[in-house]
Short mmCIF file of all heavy atoms in Angstrom, two decimals:
data_model
loop_
_atom_site.label_atom_id
_atom_site.label_comp_id
_atom_site.label_asym_id
_atom_site.label_seq_id
_atom_site.Cartn_x
_atom_site.Cartn_y
_atom_site.Cartn_z
N GLN A 86 -114.23 62.33 153.48
CA GLN A 86 -114.54 63.68 153.00
C GLN A 86 -114.68 64.61 154.25
O GLN A 86 -114.23 65.75 154.22
CB GLN A 86 -115.84 63.72 152.23
CG GLN A 86 -116.36 65.09 151.76
CD GLN A 86 -117.65 65.05 151.09
OE1 GLN A 86 -118.06 64.10 150.52
NE2 GLN A 86 -118.35 66.13 151.10
N GLN A 87 -115.32 64.06 155.31
CA GLN A 87 -115.51 64.99 156.54
C GLN A 87 -114.31 65.16 157.34
O GLN A 87 -114.31 65.93 158.33
CB GLN A 87 -116.67 64.36 157.42
CG GLN A 87 -118.01 64.15 156.70
CD GLN A 87 -118.05 62.93 155.80
OE1 GLN A 87 -117.13 62.07 155.73
NE2 GLN A 87 -119.13 62.90 155.08
N ILE A 88 -113.13 64.63 157.01
CA ILE A 88 -111.85 64.66 157.55
C ILE A 88 -111.86 64.06 158.92
O ILE A 88 -111.00 63.15 159.25
CB ILE A 88 -111.42 66.15 157.75
CG1 ILE A 88 -111.42 66.86 156.35
CG2 ILE A 88 -109.97 66.26 158.31
CD1 ILE A 88 -111.10 68.26 156.38
N ALA A 89 -112.86 64.37 159.86
CA ALA A 89 -113.04 63.70 161.13
C ALA A 89 -111.78 63.67 162.04
O ALA A 89 -111.51 62.67 162.63
CB ALA A 89 -113.53 62.31 160.89
N LEU A 90 -111.04 64.79 162.14
CA LEU A 90 -110.00 64.91 163.08
C LEU A 90 -110.66 65.03 164.45
O LEU A 90 -111.73 65.60 164.59
CB LEU A 90 -109.07 66.08 162.78
CG LEU A 90 -108.36 66.12 161.44
CD1 LEU A 90 -107.50 67.39 161.40
CD2 LEU A 90 -107.48 64.91 161.36
N PHE A 91 -109.98 64.53 165.45
CA PHE A 91 -110.58 64.64 166.81
C PHE A 91 -110.29 66.06 167.35
O PHE A 91 -109.13 66.57 167.47
CB PHE A 91 -109.74 63.64 167.78
CG PHE A 91 -109.97 62.19 167.41
CD1 PHE A 91 -108.99 61.50 166.83
CD2 PHE A 91 -111.24 61.61 167.57
CE1 PHE A 91 -109.17 60.14 166.52
CE2 PHE A 91 -111.45 60.33 167.20
CZ PHE A 91 -110.38 59.57 166.73
N PRO A 92 -111.40 66.87 167.60
CA PRO A 92 -111.23 68.24 167.82
C PRO A 92 -110.44 68.63 169.12
O PRO A 92 -109.89 69.73 169.23
CB PRO A 92 -112.71 68.83 167.97
CG PRO A 92 -113.50 67.59 168.37
CD PRO A 92 -112.76 66.42 167.68
N THR A 93 -110.43 67.68 170.10
CA THR A 93 -109.78 68.07 171.42
C THR A 93 -108.29 67.52 171.47
O THR A 93 -107.69 67.61 172.40
CB THR A 93 -110.53 67.41 172.55
OG1 THR A 93 -110.64 65.95 172.41
CG2 THR A 93 -111.95 67.94 172.62
N MET A 94 -107.88 66.95 170.36
CA MET A 94 -106.53 66.46 170.18
C MET A 94 -105.72 67.42 169.29
O MET A 94 -106.25 68.00 168.38
CB MET A 94 -106.45 65.08 169.54
CG MET A 94 -107.02 63.92 170.41
SD MET A 94 -106.70 62.37 169.53
CE MET A 94 -107.41 61.20 170.79
N THR A 95 -104.45 67.58 169.63
CA THR A 95 -103.52 68.36 168.77
C THR A 95 -103.16 67.60 167.51
O THR A 95 -103.55 66.35 167.35
CB THR A 95 -102.12 68.56 169.50
OG1 THR A 95 -101.54 67.32 169.75
CG2 THR A 95 -102.38 69.25 170.90
N VAL A 96 -102.56 68.31 166.58
CA VAL A 96 -102.18 67.63 165.34
C VAL A 96 -101.32 66.40 165.61
O VAL A 96 -101.43 65.33 164.99
CB VAL A 96 -101.41 68.68 164.43
CG1 VAL A 96 -100.65 67.91 163.35
CG2 VAL A 96 -102.39 69.67 163.92
N ARG A 97 -100.32 66.54 166.55
CA ARG A 97 -99.53 65.43 166.85
C ARG A 97 -100.25 64.29 167.41
O ARG A 97 -100.11 63.12 167.00
CB ARG A 97 -98.50 65.87 167.99
CG ARG A 97 -97.44 64.79 168.31
CD ARG A 97 -96.91 65.04 169.76
NE ARG A 97 -96.66 66.36 170.14
CZ ARG A 97 -95.46 66.94 170.43
NH1 ARG A 97 -94.36 66.16 170.15
NH2 ARG A 97 -95.37 68.14 170.72
N GLN A 98 -101.26 64.55 168.27
CA GLN A 98 -102.06 63.44 168.87
C GLN A 98 -102.92 62.78 167.78
O GLN A 98 -103.11 61.56 167.77
CB GLN A 98 -102.90 63.95 169.99
CG GLN A 98 -102.08 64.33 171.26
CD GLN A 98 -102.87 65.13 172.24
OE1 GLN A 98 -103.82 65.96 171.89
NE2 GLN A 98 -102.48 65.05 173.52
N ASN A 99 -103.55 63.56 166.89
CA ASN A 99 -104.32 63.06 165.81
C ASN A 99 -103.54 62.13 164.91
O ASN A 99 -104.02 61.09 164.62
CB ASN A 99 -104.94 64.19 165.02
CG ASN A 99 -106.31 64.64 165.45
OD1 ASN A 99 -107.31 63.90 165.19
ND2 ASN A 99 -106.42 65.75 166.17
N ILE A 100 -102.35 62.54 164.50
CA ILE A 100 -101.52 61.73 163.59
C ILE A 100 -101.11 60.45 164.29
O ILE A 100 -101.05 59.37 163.70
CB ILE A 100 -100.39 62.49 163.08
CG1 ILE A 100 -100.80 63.71 162.21
CG2 ILE A 100 -99.43 61.58 162.24
CD1 ILE A 100 -99.64 64.59 161.84
N GLY A 101 -100.80 60.62 165.55
CA GLY A 101 -100.30 59.47 166.25
C GLY A 101 -101.21 58.44 166.93
O GLY A 101 -100.72 57.50 167.57
N VAL A 102 -102.50 58.73 166.77
CA VAL A 102 -103.55 57.89 167.48
C VAL A 102 -103.41 56.40 167.10
O VAL A 102 -103.51 55.56 168.03
CB VAL A 102 -104.92 58.46 167.23
CG1 VAL A 102 -105.36 58.39 165.84
CG2 VAL A 102 -105.88 57.79 168.18
N ILE A 103 -103.24 56.05 165.86
CA ILE A 103 -103.16 54.63 165.41
C ILE A 103 -101.88 54.00 165.87
O ILE A 103 -101.72 52.92 166.39
CB ILE A 103 -103.33 54.48 163.99
CG1 ILE A 103 -104.69 55.07 163.50
CG2 ILE A 103 -103.14 53.03 163.60
CD1 ILE A 103 -105.84 54.29 164.02
N LEU A 104 -100.79 54.85 165.87
CA LEU A 104 -99.52 54.48 166.39
C LEU A 104 -99.58 54.09 167.93
O LEU A 104 -99.01 53.03 168.30
CB LEU A 104 -98.44 55.42 166.10
CG LEU A 104 -98.11 55.82 164.64
CD1 LEU A 104 -97.23 57.00 164.59
CD2 LEU A 104 -97.59 54.55 163.90
N GLU A 105 -100.29 54.90 168.64
CA GLU A 105 -100.43 54.57 170.07
C GLU A 105 -101.24 53.35 170.25
O GLU A 105 -100.87 52.52 171.16
CB GLU A 105 -101.19 55.70 170.74
CG GLU A 105 -100.30 56.98 170.85
CD GLU A 105 -100.96 57.99 171.83
OE1 GLU A 105 -102.02 57.70 172.39
OE2 GLU A 105 -100.40 59.05 172.01
N MET A 106 -102.29 53.07 169.43
CA MET A 106 -103.06 51.83 169.55
C MET A 106 -102.15 50.59 169.21
O MET A 106 -102.42 49.55 169.74
CB MET A 106 -104.29 51.91 168.66
CG MET A 106 -105.28 52.97 169.10
SD MET A 106 -106.57 53.20 167.88
CE MET A 106 -107.51 51.67 168.03
N LYS A 107 -101.16 50.80 168.45
CA LYS A 107 -100.22 49.77 168.06
C LYS A 107 -99.05 49.64 168.95
O LYS A 107 -98.16 48.94 168.70
CB LYS A 107 -99.75 49.92 166.56
CG LYS A 107 -100.86 49.65 165.56
CD LYS A 107 -100.22 49.50 164.16
CE LYS A 107 -101.19 48.75 163.26
NZ LYS A 107 -100.58 48.24 162.02
N LYS A 108 -99.11 50.40 170.06
CA LYS A 108 -98.09 50.34 171.11
C LYS A 108 -96.71 50.78 170.55
O LYS A 108 -95.64 50.26 171.02
CB LYS A 108 -97.98 48.95 171.71
CG LYS A 108 -99.35 48.37 172.10
CD LYS A 108 -99.89 49.18 173.29
CE LYS A 108 -101.25 48.48 173.75
NZ LYS A 108 -101.97 49.24 174.73
N VAL A 109 -96.63 51.76 169.63
CA VAL A 109 -95.39 52.24 169.18
C VAL A 109 -94.79 53.16 170.26
O VAL A 109 -95.57 53.94 170.86
CB VAL A 109 -95.58 52.99 167.82
CG1 VAL A 109 -94.30 53.71 167.37
CG2 VAL A 109 -96.09 52.06 166.77
N PRO A 110 -93.54 53.11 170.55
CA PRO A 110 -92.89 54.00 171.55
C PRO A 110 -93.17 55.43 171.31
O PRO A 110 -93.06 55.84 170.18
CB PRO A 110 -91.42 53.59 171.50
CG PRO A 110 -91.34 52.26 170.99
CD PRO A 110 -92.45 52.10 170.02
#
Side-chain angles (χ1 to χ4, degrees):
Q86 177 184 335
Q87 296 82 7
I88 305 174
L90 298 180
F91 298 109
T93 60
M94 290 185 177
T95 64
V96 164
R97 184 206 321 251
Q98 291 168 330
N99 266 284
I100 296 173
V102 65
I103 301 298
L104 297 172
E105 288 191 3
M106 294 172 71
K107 288 197 162 194
K108 309 297 184 184
V109 175

